[in-house]
Amino acid sequence: MPGDLELVDDGTGGTVVMLDGHPQSYVQLDNPRLLVFEYVQFLAAVVDSLPEGPLAVTHVGGAGLTLPRYVAHTRPGSPQIVLEPDAALTEQVRAALPLPRGHRIRVRPVDGRTGLTALADASADVVVVDAYAGGRVPAELVTTEWFTEVRRVLKPDGVLAMNTTDEPARRHLARLHASVHAVLPHTAAIATSEVRKGRRFGNTVLVASARRLPMDQLPRRVNMTAFSATLVSGRELLGSLGSARPFTDADAEPTPQPPVLDRWRVR
C-alpha cells in the first residue's frame, strides 16, 4: 500500500485523494462531471474544445483517475491509457473508487518516460500530463527530449495539455514553456488571474500542438469554468514569460517545492 496515500471523505459524497500530503484528485462517483480543482477544469476545457466524438487519450499520471472518468462519461467509447507507476496507489484507488461500467481505461504500471516510448506513433488525439512526486512535476517530464517523444505519440493535429506549478516569478514555467514551444510551436496557457499576475504560487495548464490550437472553442470553454481564468496564447504568451532557455535531459529541474499547507478545503 502506498504509505503517503489518503482517501478523505468530504462529507458530500465525494472523495479527496491525498498523495504525499497534497490533494491530488477529487472524485464523486455518481457525478463524474463534477471537477473541483481548477486545473482539472482547465484540462477538461482543453478536451471539451476538441471535435465531438470519442478521443484517444494518453494520461501521464493517474491518482484518482478523475479526468479519465470525465472523458469516459462525456465521450463514451474513448480509448484511454493511463501511465501511473504506483501500482499500489492504483489498486487502492480502484478498490475504493471503482471505474464505471463499459469504460475503456487501461492503467499501465509504468512511469511516463518508459510508458510513452512503448506507444505507437500518432496514436493519441490528446496527451495529458498531470504527474507529481512529492508535490513536484518530475524533472524528466519538462525537457525537449520528453516533448519530442510526446509529439511522436500525438496525431498530426493532436494536443498536449500539461498541468504544472510555479512560484510567482514563473521562471520555471518560462523554461518549461520554452521546452514545449521548441517541439510543439502552437502554445497557450490557462491559469487563474491571481496566478497569471504572479500574486501566488499556483497551477498553470500549458496547451500545445504542432498545428493550430482550437482557438475557436478553447476560450469559450475556459470561460465556462467556475474560476476567474485567463487564456494567453501565441506572441502574448511568449512576451509575458520572456526569453528562457529550454530544459534538456542534462539540466532539467523539477517544479519548485509547493508551500506548506496548514489546511485544505474543497472550494
Side-chain angles (χ1 to χ4, degrees):
M1 295 290 241
D4 295 320
L5 175 68
E6 185 181 5
L7 302 177
V8 181
D9 186 337
D10 76 343
T12 67
T15 300
V16 182
V17 179
M18 303 284 293
L19 189 61
D20 298 322
H22 301 276
Q24 290 285 354
S25 306
Y26 179 87
V27 177
Q28 191 162 100
L29 292 179
D30 62 355
N31 185 9
R33 286 180 175 270
L34 179 60
L35 307 176
V36 172
F37 299 155
E38 74 265 26
Y39 65 85
V40 182
Q41 290 193 23
F42 299 159
L43 292 170
V46 177
V47 173
D48 290 343
S49 71
L50 300 177
E52 294 183 1
L55 293 171
V57 185
T58 295
H59 304 262
V60 180
L65 304 172
T66 302
L67 194 63
R69 298 171 197 268
Y70 177 86
V71 173
H73 182 77
T74 59
R75 293 174 181 262
S78 293
Q80 300 186 75
I81 297 171
V82 180
L83 307 176
E84 171 52 65
D86 194 334
L89 179 151
T90 299
E91 181 181 358
Q92 186 171 349
V93 166
R94 293 185 67 169
L97 303 167
L99 290 170
R101 289 186 177 182
H103 72 83
R104 296 186 63 192
I105 301 167
R106 291 177 293 162
V107 183
R108 298 181 177 176
V110 293
D111 64 87
R113 288 289 289 252
T114 301
L116 213 67
T117 60
L119 301 182
D121 295 358
S123 57
D125 294 298
V126 186
V127 171
V128 177
V129 182
D130 186 16
Y132 285 77
R136 308 171 77 178
V137 178
E140 62 265 26
L141 301 184
V142 303
T143 70
T144 53
E145 292 91 341
W146 160 249
F147 292 115
T148 299
E149 190 67 10
V150 170
R151 178 166 180 165
R152 180 190 66 79
V153 171
L154 283 171
K155 295 178 181 180
D157 58 351
V159 174
L160 163 72
M162 179 174 184
N163 175 40
T164 187
T165 54
D166 202 2
E167 296 169 340
R170 302 194 303 168
R171 297 322 302 157
H172 191 282
L173 177 63
R175 292 195 66 186
L176 173 55
H177 175 264
S179 303
V180 174
H181 188 263
V183 180
L184 298 165
H186 297 271
T187 60
I190 310 168
T192 64
S193 299
E194 297 152 331
V195 172
R196 169 81 176 81
K197 294 174 182 178
R199 292 177 179 170
R200 66 173 177 85
F201 184 100
N203 297 77
T204 297
V205 168
L206 288 177
V207 190
S209 179
R211 298 186 180 176
R212 183 180 180 273
L213 290 170
M215 297 306 290
D216 52 337
Q217 291 291 327
L218 187 54
R220 183 173 68 87
R221 292 293 183 175
V222 171
N223 287 336
M224 291 170 63
T225 66
F227 298 87
S228 175
T230 62
L231 172 67
V232 184
S233 62
R235 291 183 179 179
E236 184 182 1
L237 177 57
L238 287 168
S240 69
L241 292 175
S243 61
R245 180 166 47 90
F247 286 118
T248 69
D249 283 349
D251 70 352
E253 300 173 1
T255 54
Q257 189 71 42
V260 175
L261 296 177
D262 295 324
R263 53 190 174 275
W264 183 84
R265 64 182 177 87
V266 175
R267 290 195 281 178

